[in-house]
Amino acid sequence: MSQQSIPAVFMRGGSSKGVFFHARDLPRDRAEVDRLLLAVIGSPDPNGRQLNGMGGGISSLSKGVIIGPPTRADCDVDYTFAQVAVDKPVVDWAANCGNLSSAVGPFAIDEGLVRARDGEALVRIHQVNTRKVIHARFPVADGRAVVAGDFAIAGVAGTGARIRLDFLAPGGSATKDLLPTGKAIETLAVAGMGAVTVSMVDAANAAVFVAAYDLGLAGTEHPDAIEANAETMARLDAIRRAAGVAMGFAASPDQVGLSLPKVAMLAPPAPFTALDGTRVAADAHDITVRMISMERAHRAVPMTGAMCLGVAARIQGSLAHELARKSTSEEVRVANPSGVVSVGAEVRKNARWEAVSAVVFRTARRLMQGHVLVA
């Protein structure tokens, strides 16, 4: 039996990689799309390597993107994100990937979906999963997105053309509000742990933040060390599931999905060694994070997770605000296993806290184009 051939583009966006499709080339039935994505990425793989597909064995390399015509008058394209589990037959459509968001604009230009003059292009993106709008700005030359540049990001070797992403009104991306429970900080009852102090915030992606010291950790641990500690992983998952119920994602902890909410350990600024061996001083960042994504300790930080943390750090009374270095800068420097990423975050409080915007800068590159084969 011959394999099915589907037009596709393999792209890096930020510190993630994924397979990009035109909506017109995929079935309309979501269950059929799930089957195709699992086959394309190579999941489920009990060996955790996804050798029979395009995935890379970790959550940041196990992703799919679907681009189609806009369904909003104020946008140029629709962008739907699919997170594919590595070792389970699961495709999660609940959240967005901030890193791959950076590749959507260049894809749209290069594929002729959006016309742009040479100079700085603006592509207005409707992020379907979260029902939010993202503005991507990046250089264009000869009608195509510029790839080469001198902008570097943590976790990615080399440099590239800078892409600015403005996430407009990112609060309530998956829940009803920026603070889904109405509180900046609170005590959460967690099975097997009792009362745990957390902040539950939904900006770009929904996350629950806990202090690393409440888990007996420094917050600067290597991702492999976190994953190797079965007790820590179990406790983080229990916190995540309890928060999922409190935030309205499910009626009981066992019903909370793999993707949302994210769970992250926070710590004050502290010196640490990044994955590439670079020593990062405490004064080079404002807050430290270790985030769990799809039951794996993330090697960097999901970009939407970094934006959520940047917003949270601006909310007075939140755990992130209490642990972060106090600064007059418009940016929050987030330390993660791969280095430091800066997030611009603007919030305001009227009757309640609101997120006005979140801004990040990334790079992207088209790696391969043609057809992907599905057995």
Side-chain angles (χ1 to χ4, degrees), residues 147-153 158-162 363:
V147 175
D150 58 4
F151 189 68
I153 60 175
T159 61
R162 192 183 78 163
T363 61

Side-chain angles (χ1 to χ4, degrees), residues 77-331:
V77 292
D78 272 13
Y79 149 50
T80 304
F81 170 68
Q83 177 69 62
V84 182
V86 174
D87 57 352
K88 297 180 177 67
V90 173
V91 180
D92 194 295
W93 302 88
N96 176 35
C97 173
N99 276 297
L100 286 188
S101 296
S102 64
V104 172
F107 176 89
I109 295 289
D110 292 349
E111 293 292 304
L113 299 176
V114 178
R115 301 294 181 185
R117 297 177 180 176
D118 289 0
E120 183 180 75
L122 165 63
V123 177
R124 304 167 301 168
I125 301 164
H126 172 212
Q127 211 299 303
V128 176
N129 307 67
T130 59
R131 307 174 306 281
K132 297 293 183 178
V133 175
I134 306 167
H135 285 179
R137 291 179 171 86
F138 51 92
V140 169
D142 298 325
R144 296 183 65 85
V146 175
V147 175
D150 58 4
F151 189 68
I153 60 175
V156 178
T159 61
R162 192 183 78 163
I163 300 169
R164 174 181 173 133
L165 296 175
D166 290 79
F167 287 69
L168 309 184
S173 65
T175 66
K176 61 182 176 63
D177 208 347
L178 174 61
L179 299 177
T181 65
K183 300 178 181 178
I185 194 168
E186 58 194 289
T187 299
L188 188 66
V190 179
M193 296 180 64
V196 180
T197 300
V198 302
S199 285
M200 292 176 278
V201 183
D202 180 8
N205 247 340
V208 53
F209 299 109
V210 60
Y213 56 68
D214 281 342
L215 297 174
L217 299 174
T220 57
E221 287 80 5
H222 191 288
D224 289 344
I226 296 172
E227 284 192 2
N229 189 326
E231 181 181 357
T232 293
M233 291 295 289
R235 295 173 78 185
L236 286 168
D237 190 59
I239 294 169
R240 191 184 72 82
R241 291 182 179 276
V245 174
M247 298 169 83
F249 287 109
S252 62
D254 62 294
Q255 295 176 332
V256 175
L258 292 178
S259 178
L260 292 179
K262 306 293 186 190
V263 60
M265 298 186 294
L266 303 182
F272 71 99
T273 301
L275 295 184
D276 65 357
T278 302
R279 189 65 178 168
V280 181
D283 61 4
H285 55 279
D286 302 312
I287 192 164
T288 303
V289 66
R290 296 293 184 268
M291 185 166 282
I292 307 301
S293 177
M294 299 295 286
E295 300 183 325
R296 300 290 298 273
H298 208 281
R299 268 53 186 169
V301 59
M303 194 47 49
T304 50
M307 285 185 283
C308 186
L309 176 53
V311 170
R314 299 295 193 203
I315 300 174
Q316 294 180 11
S318 74
L319 189 61
H321 185 266
E322 290 185 0
L323 293 174
R325 183 194 314 277
K326 302 304 179 284
S327 169
T328 58
S329 171
E330 294 181 354
E331 296 185 349

Side-chain angles (χ1 to χ4, degrees), residues 67 76 174 195 199 254 317 336:
I67 306 297
D76 301 307
S199 285
D254 62 294
N336 62 84

